[in-house]
Amino acid sequence: MAEGTVTHIGKRSVVSSRWHAEPGKFCHLSVLDRLMEQNQVKIVYYYPSRGDHAEPGEWIKKLRDSLSCVLTNFPILTGRLHKNQEGHWMVKCNDGGVRMVEAKVKGSVEDWLKSVDREKELKLLYWEEMFHKPYHWPAVYVQVTEFEKGGLAIGLSCCHLLADPICATMFSKAWADTTLSGIMSTPPLFHSLPLTKADYSKIPNDESCTDLINYYKYSIERLTPLTTNQKYATVTLSFTDSMVRDCIAMAQATGASGKSGSPAFEALAALFWVCLSKVKATKGRLFNMSLCLDMRNCLGLDPGFFGNCMVCNKVHLESAGETMLPEATKAISEVVKKMNAEGIKDLIQWLKCNDNQTVPLMNDYDLICVNLEGVNPYLATFKDQLEPLQVSYYVEPMVGPGQVLISRSAPGEGPLSRVVMATLPEDEVAKLCEDDLIQRFSPAVLMGTNKN
Amino acid sequence: MPPTLPDFSSSVKLKYVKLGYQYLVNHILTLTLIPVMAGILVEVLRLGPKEIVNLWNSLHFDLVQILCSSFLIIFIATVYFMSKPRSIYLVDYACYKPPVTCRVPFATFMEHSRLILSNNPKSVEFQMRILERSGLGEETCLPPAIHYIPPTPTMEAARGEAEIVIFSAMDSLFKKTGLKPKDIDILIVNCSLFSPTPSLSAMVINKYKLRSNIKSFNLSGMGCSAGLISIDLARDLLQVHPNSNAVVVSTEIITPNYYKGNERAMLLPNCLFRMGGAAILLSNRRSERWRAKYRLVHVVRTHKGADDKAYRCVFEEEDKEGKVGISLSKDLMAIAGEALKSNITTIGPLVLPASEQLLFLLTLIGRKIFNPKWKPYIPDFKQAFEHFCIHAGGRAVIDELQKNLQLSAEHVEASRMALHRFGNTSSSSLWYEMSYIEAKGRMKRGDRIWQIAFGSGFKCNSAVWKCNRTIKTPTDGPWADCIDRYPVHIPEVVKL
């Protein structure tokens, strides 16, 4: 229909505002970066309409100018991918710039949000598959969509080689800071993952393989299944502070096993694990699930670290009885505890030694649950009090049984409130929403599947 | 020196002989006048005062004769001062500095080129080769409409670019000179390739609410040398209108002229032309004498349009697919050389010191009478000028002129650096170069500057300025934030 169609105005490049006087500089990518070659991170930020009636195109111009300024500090995003002598991807900082698409939509952003679904939301993101010659292919695309009756949507699509959702959020905040005041609160740092000399001297052999390494080994060696024409739908559920507290309480019914680092994530992850298993009809057994966690704190990295730092691991629960939820939570909690600095460093070491050319499509076999609590996307305020109305995360391409992304809510809704985005095959989404356990908490549906 | 004795030209002795010769010829009048005056003084002293009074009385002057002679002297003096051409002063000028967000690095330009000309890899390769050898840097700017894939050169975008460039330059000029819009008597705008109705000069009059009896002119289609043509026109008008201010705006609007086809000869301007503009305030008011930066000494215009090859050298036409572009012919450099020679022949006698002119005359006579095989003497223009501003049309133009006029690297530095930082900004490039010299603190009172511009037609125009007051650094202007980085070494071929 006419209302709600996204019209592209134009596509152009945005380059950094200052020329780097060192042409030909290269940025190397870590082993964790290189694993994510086939994936993309996509984030959509919605901004409300305000009283000030800006002219059409005025915000687009402002954002373009500030994007230009902020890109001066992120040379890795304006460069182009190149394969080095060992056949690994690296970024040549040639100042090529990011691609920006300008678009407009009739109606206001509030109207859009009332009737948005996965398909519509993906129209606010622009992406082009890698060209045959990647040297002319920008790895970052930004789409700025102006709503004619008020409001703005910013869609950021980034190749997963360069950034994970955490640092993509960080980039958006830096951009917002630059638009607002010209100063970034957390300037980015680009360096390789920390590995001390002691770690290098350890020779990994089969006995010292941990679960983590096994998981990665299995993922890499397994043949990628053929992509099917499965249609997916995404539902966004908002859990308020009190709902999450209830969930935690329920999940810890069988004797709390001590304090865990992120009770909200564990409880919600367990909840969705149980519910999705029911939806997928695995008869009492819990569906295979992997967790994807941010390891920045674990490895003691500076908050400004820019690069992939999310590690996945499988959760096991052989069978669960009546108390499915608490047992699931316990299992998740144990896996989270086990992913410590030592384990990650061993993994990095192993990946370095077993570097082969085949890169798996991560997240394509199990159900995957991603913890994005580490960042607050609502800090990206582009103008005084212009906080995002809503933020959606996507990790594409979507293949496999499903994906659950747990991120923070808008401020003012309590410290434990969370937003859960679940992407599943179309037919399973409705079943999920109607599930008893989920209905017990009655979360608000921010984005569902629209039948119109 | 005539090349019949080339081996000795590096000898120090010959250099001193040369210097002595130049001093002798250039100051011949002084040198002959001094002995004459000395002789008269000696004679007067010898005669003694009584003898002089007797001499005076014997002349039998009476009142009528004295009155008539004095009237005659006053009359001649008045006629002389009235018929002397008015001095034209350049009070100040302002160059447009494009915003950093319009910057086009090499990588972006080539990427866009590849995406737009995806069906013609050969044309893309050609553009890359041109860009590598162009002498441009990574900070040149294109207008916003050209940044799109594909470019969106609408009339509105072209007007938008014209407004940004011209109004910025004019605002800057007003601020620098304290000029009030109502005081502008003459307005000349030159922009070769964009000529809307109403004209760009009307646009300026509308924006700044200039007077209704203003004399406005809009020159279009005259190529990159139109800037100096505008200066010439302003000069002629200022001779007719006393006590007036003239504002000259030189610019080139890139937006409507981006060539969308793939004919090689027409792709060159896409690679070289960049956004830029300048606004200049000229005046013939005596009060401006104290604060003016320069005084206009000569303007020499040479037009080779009578020759068919020169006429078709830079030609705007449609290619095989019907797309309009400017085609540059292969013998552009040769024609430019011819035009330059013509211009030099006219300007030489006006600016060269007597020593060089005498040498040139002697060589000319020698060639005609004695031996036609003598190489023509190329006068040494470095003795006539301290600074050279060569239109930054491209690296080849600057190289060619450097060779022909035997200029050193420092003389052409302003041109090369302006090409590197701003690209080929067409008629305004001379003003960016002038600004560079000022920013470097090299402009001293009494310095003579030669501006040379080439343009389609084929034209070669020159202007000679004399610096009126030493210009102190730091100057504000387009070079303010980057002058410390210059001069920069520009490699023959930049690896892309």
Side-chain angles (χ1 to χ4, degrees):
Chain A
M1 36 181 191
E3 180 112 352
T5 351
V6 179
T7 329
H8 281 196
I9 304 174
K11 177 169 74 162
R12 54 168 287 168
S13 297
V14 175
V15 300
S16 59
S17 57
R18 241 179 352 128
W19 174 51
H20 294 275
E22 336 160 21
K25 179 165 160 245
F26 288 94
C27 280
H28 291 279
L29 299 173
S30 69
V31 278
L32 290 180
D33 287 328
R34 293 200 292 260
L35 278 177
M36 307 308 289
E37 184 188 323
Q38 310 251 27
N39 294 71
Q40 303 105 39
V41 176
K42 300 187 183 181
I43 316 179
V44 180
Y45 288 81
Y46 291 97
Y47 290 88
S49 36
R50 282 279 136 165
D52 61 341
H53 294 285
E55 298 219 355
E58 191 186 314
W59 262 111
I60 290 182
K61 182 163 187 312
K62 248 190 253 198
L63 289 172
R64 214 167 51 208
D65 291 344
S66 63
L67 180 62
S68 197
C69 288
V70 80
L71 283 174
T72 319
N73 297 294
F74 291 87
I76 202 173
L77 295 178
T78 54
R80 295 291 179 265
L81 289 170
H82 230 49
K83 281 219 166 155
N84 67 6
Q85 279 150 339
E86 292 140 41
H88 295 148
W89 285 117
M90 63 177 180
V91 177
K92 179 164 184 199
C93 300
N94 70 349
D95 226 356
V98 305
R99 204 72 88 219
M100 176 158 153
V101 171
E102 299 164 13
K104 61 180 180 201
V105 183
K106 285 194 169 38
S108 75
V109 72
E110 286 85 6
D111 294 333
W112 172 274
L113 285 172
K114 282 194 208 128
S115 62
V116 71
D117 60 7
R118 178 190 161 87
E119 209 180 305
K120 276 178 81 176
E121 197 157 67
L122 287 177
K123 289 215 186 91
L124 294 175
L125 293 157
Y126 187 79
W127 182 253
E128 278 175 14
E129 288 302 324
M130 195 187 276
F131 301 162
H132 163 65
K133 275 205 186 141
Y135 194 59
H136 301 288
W137 177 74
V140 179
Y141 292 83
V142 175
Q143 178 169 330
V144 179
T145 313
E146 268 189 353
F147 288 84
E148 284 177 5
K149 287 221 186 90
L152 197 69
I154 299 177
L156 178 70
S157 313
C158 180
C159 182
H160 218 304
L161 268 173
L162 302 179
D164 59 14
I166 307 285
C167 48
T169 314
M170 201 176 82
F171 170 71
S172 310
K173 172 149 191 315
W175 183 10
D177 286 345
T178 313
T179 316
L180 192 59
S181 62
I183 313 162
M184 287 185 298
S185 53
T186 332
L189 290 166
F190 303 93
H191 57 77
S192 49
L193 294 168
L195 278 184
T196 61
K197 266 214 157 82
D199 302 317
Y200 279 118
S201 61
K202 263 201 275 179
I203 308 158
N205 50 17
D206 282 327
E207 279 103 51
S208 68
C209 262
T210 59
D211 282 339
L212 189 58
I213 295 180
N214 274 337
Y215 171 75
Y216 273 85
K217 199 166 160 197
Y218 176 65
S219 298
I220 293 169
E221 288 170 4
R222 189 194 62 232
L223 291 165
T224 325
L226 296 161
T227 48
T228 55
N229 286 335
Q230 175 70 267
K231 273 203 84 178
Y232 290 91
T234 307
V235 62
T236 309
L237 300 167
S238 173
F239 289 80
T240 61
D241 192 83
S242 51
M243 290 175 200
V244 175
R245 281 184 207 279
D246 287 343
C247 189
I248 294 173
M250 214 162 57
Q252 281 180 347
T254 56
S257 52
K259 274 201 280 230
S260 65
S262 41
F265 169 71
E266 287 167 14
L268 286 171
L271 173 68
F272 276 84
W273 192 9
V274 168
C275 296
L276 283 170
S277 305
K278 269 196 263 170
V279 165
K280 290 188 187 284
T282 50
K283 303 238 190 303
R285 203 174 55 79
L286 287 174
F287 200 83
N288 294 324
M289 186 163 98
S290 309
L291 297 174
C292 189
L293 307 169
D294 175 25
M295 291 288 114
R296 282 171 171 79
N297 284 334
C298 237
L299 289 171
L301 291 171
D302 192 281
F305 175 75
F306 195 92
N308 273 286
C309 205
M310 298 193 82
V311 177
C312 302
N313 202 355
K314 206 175 173 94
V315 216
H316 298 286
L317 191 63
E318 285 312 318
S319 65
E322 280 303 313
T323 53
M324 251 199 194
L325 185 57
E327 284 188 35
T329 317
K330 199 154 149 229
I332 290 175
S333 183
E334 275 171 19
V335 170
V336 171
K337 271 209 209 54
K338 261 199 287 179
M339 287 170 80
N340 56 7
E342 281 303 312
I344 307 295
K345 287 187 184 166
D346 281 343
L347 171 69
I348 295 173
Q349 183 71 332
W350 182 86
L351 284 170
K352 272 208 175 82
C353 300
N354 292 291
D355 224 340
N356 45 13
Q357 301 303 318
T358 55
V359 179
L361 190 69
M362 298 297 286
N363 325 330
D364 70 339
Y365 188 72
D366 298 336
L367 186 65
I368 183 121
C369 189
V370 185
N371 182 357
L372 296 174
E373 288 180 334
V375 273
N376 185 355
Y378 292 87
L379 289 174
T381 50
F382 277 86
K383 219 170 75 143
D384 290 320
Q385 292 147 30
L386 206 67
E387 266 177 7
L389 267 179
Q390 197 171 307
V391 180
S392 306
Y393 284 92
Y394 290 92
V395 178
E396 297 286 298
M398 193 59 224
V399 291
Q403 205 184 75
V404 175
L405 293 126
I406 299 175
S407 56
R408 292 222 230 160
S409 278
E413 299 200 14
L416 287 177
S417 58
R418 296 287 181 267
V419 168
V420 179
M421 288 190 73
T423 306
L424 302 162
E426 253 185 330
D427 40 348
E428 294 175 18
V429 169
K431 284 190 225 163
L432 177 68
C433 293
E434 287 156 19
D435 185 271
D436 289 333
L437 202 53
I438 297 219
Q439 283 305 319
R440 228 192 290 173
F441 301 102
S442 51
V445 179
L446 295 179
M447 177 168 91
T449 48
N450 284 317
K451 300 305 175 199
N452 49 355
Chain B
M1 296 298 281
T4 45
L5 303 166
D7 300 317
F8 299 103
S9 54
S10 55
S11 147
V12 176
K13 270 194 214 155
L14 210 67
K15 213 163 148 183
Y16 278 113
V17 169
K18 219 170 126 180
L19 273 171
Y21 159 75
Q22 281 168 1
Y23 195 74
L24 180 71
V25 176
N26 291 339
H27 298 98
I28 193 102
L29 276 174
T30 331
L31 290 173
T32 43
L33 210 61
I34 288 176
V36 167
M37 295 212 50
I40 293 176
L41 193 67
V42 164
E43 192 64 31
V44 162
L45 285 174
R46 205 162 54 85
L47 284 176
K50 237 205 201 150
E51 290 280 336
I52 293 170
V53 171
N54 283 343
L55 203 65
W56 181 260
N57 287 335
S58 68
L59 284 174
H60 298 300
F61 280 143
D62 61 8
L63 198 60
V64 177
Q65 276 180 329
I66 294 174
L67 272 176
C68 284
S69 337
S70 20
F71 275 136
L72 193 66
I73 292 170
I74 292 171
F75 180 70
I76 292 173
T78 315
V79 168
Y80 169 71
F81 278 113
M82 293 292 282
S83 65
K84 200 170 78 139
R86 292 184 224 268
S87 292
I88 310 294
Y89 297 104
L90 192 163
V91 179
D92 209 341
Y93 63 95
C95 294
Y96 171 67
K97 179 153 184 274
V100 280
T101 49
C102 286
R103 192 168 81 86
V104 179
F106 289 155
T108 317
F109 185 87
M110 284 321 304
E111 208 171 278
H112 282 221
S113 200
R114 249 169 243 268
L115 291 171
I116 297 165
L117 294 172
S118 50
N119 300 329
N120 277 285
K122 281 218 163 74
S123 301
V124 178
E125 284 304 309
F126 176 73
Q127 279 200 312
M128 189 155 95
R129 281 205 305 276
I130 297 289
L131 204 59
E132 281 175 353
R133 291 165 179 73
S134 61
L136 263 68
E138 302 255 19
E139 294 178 280
T140 61
C141 297
L142 281 174
I146 306 296
H147 286 264
Y148 286 89
I149 306 166
T152 54
T154 57
M155 181 137 200
E156 196 187 329
R159 277 225 167 95
E161 183 193 343
E163 283 176 9
I164 295 177
V165 175
I166 296 178
F167 296 163
S168 294
M170 290 209 62
D171 288 339
S172 186
L173 183 69
F174 288 146
K175 206 166 105 184
K176 274 182 165 184
T177 57
L179 178 72
K180 294 204 179 33
K182 294 225 179 307
D183 291 335
I184 302 178
D185 304 294
I186 300 164
L187 174 69
I188 304 173
V189 178
N190 74 270
C191 170
S192 187
L193 296 164
F194 179 54
S195 185
T197 298
S199 63
L200 294 174
S201 59
M203 188 176 84
V204 173
I205 293 172
N206 171 262
K207 161 85 177 173
Y208 293 102
K209 313 285 179 249
L210 304 181
R211 295 201 319 256
S212 57
N213 63 347
I214 192 171
K215 298 197 174 24
S216 69
F217 298 86
N218 193 78
L219 300 175
S220 76
M222 301 193 91
C224 301
S225 60
L228 294 182
I229 297 177
S230 307
I231 300 281
D232 187 40
L233 179 61
R235 180 183 67 159
D236 289 343
L237 287 166
L238 286 171
Q239 298 297 345
V240 176
H241 302 286
N243 241 15
S244 304
N245 283 329
V247 171
V248 172
V249 179
S250 292
T251 183
E252 190 56 72
I253 304 300
I254 312 283
T255 305
N257 303 304
Y258 193 81
Y259 175 59
K260 299 185 203 67
N262 39 50
E263 187 75 25
R264 282 195 209 174
M266 300 185 178
L267 282 170
L268 227 101
N270 280 3
C271 298
L272 300 177
F273 277 84
R274 296 289 184 265
M275 227 162 114
I280 304 112
L281 173 61
L282 298 170
S283 179
N284 59 9
R285 292 184 181 174
R286 301 278 296 175
S287 53
E288 302 286 15
R289 209 160 30 119
W290 308 111
R291 67 168 182 150
K293 273 186 176 171
Y294 303 96
R295 185 170 63 83
L296 181 59
V297 182
H298 300 288
V299 177
V300 174
R301 292 167 58 175
T302 316
H303 206 304
K304 299 303 264 176
D307 175 40
D308 284 341
K309 251 181 38 181
Y311 171 65
R312 292 204 72 97
C313 174
V314 179
F315 210 77
E316 187 181 14
E317 58 192 351
E318 283 169 355
D319 66 6
K320 292 193 219 47
E321 294 163 13
K323 300 204 175 98
V324 177
I326 299 165
S327 163
L328 302 171
S329 99
K330 285 203 171 44
D331 24 62
L332 178 64
M333 282 295 114
I335 291 168
E338 282 297 316
L340 178 71
K341 235 191 269 176
S342 229
N343 194 290
I344 288 178
T345 317
T346 319
I347 206 175
L350 295 173
V351 294
L352 286 170
S355 53
E356 292 296 312
Q357 297 203 37
L358 193 62
L359 268 177
F360 182 71
L361 187 67
L362 289 175
T363 330
L364 195 67
I365 294 172
R367 284 186 72 209
K368 285 260 175 345
I369 298 176
F370 298 120
N371 182 3
K373 288 222 185 90
W374 273 7
K375 265 180 43 188
Y377 177 64
I378 301 166
D380 187 9
F381 280 90
K382 298 196 281 289
Q383 290 183 40
F385 300 107
E386 276 75 38
H387 305 291
F388 295 80
C389 291
I390 301 167
H391 164 55
R395 199 186 198 148
V397 172
I398 303 175
D399 289 343
E400 184 73 20
L401 256 77
Q402 185 179 11
K403 199 177 66 163
N404 279 347
L405 298 174
Q406 292 161 2
L407 301 174
S408 72
E410 206 193 315
H411 285 125
V412 293
E413 186 186 306
S415 308
R416 285 200 200 279
M417 297 306 125
L419 180 64
H420 183 267
R421 173 63 181 83
F422 295 100
N424 178 352
T425 56
S426 187
S427 40
S428 49
S429 64
L430 298 169
W431 301 105
Y432 285 102
E433 293 168 25
M434 200 104 128
S435 195
Y436 177 85
I437 303 174
E438 290 180 8
K440 277 286 183 193
R442 295 178 191 162
M443 200 64 89
K444 305 268 180 302
R445 185 193 156 99
D447 281 357
R448 293 154 298 175
I449 305 108
W450 187 14
Q451 288 183 326
I452 312 172
F454 296 98
S456 59
F458 195 80
K459 302 190 268 290
C460 176
N461 297 332
S462 300
V464 178
W465 302 89
K466 191 153 180 175
C467 184
N468 201 35
R469 58 177 174 85
T470 302
I471 293 162
K472 294 194 204 64
T473 50
T475 58
D476 53 352
W479 295 95
D481 61 346
C482 58
I483 192 69
D484 299 320
R485 277 193 269 127
Y486 285 90
V488 87
H489 169 68
I490 306 172
E492 269 303 314
V493 177
V494 175
K495 198 69 196 74
L496 282 184

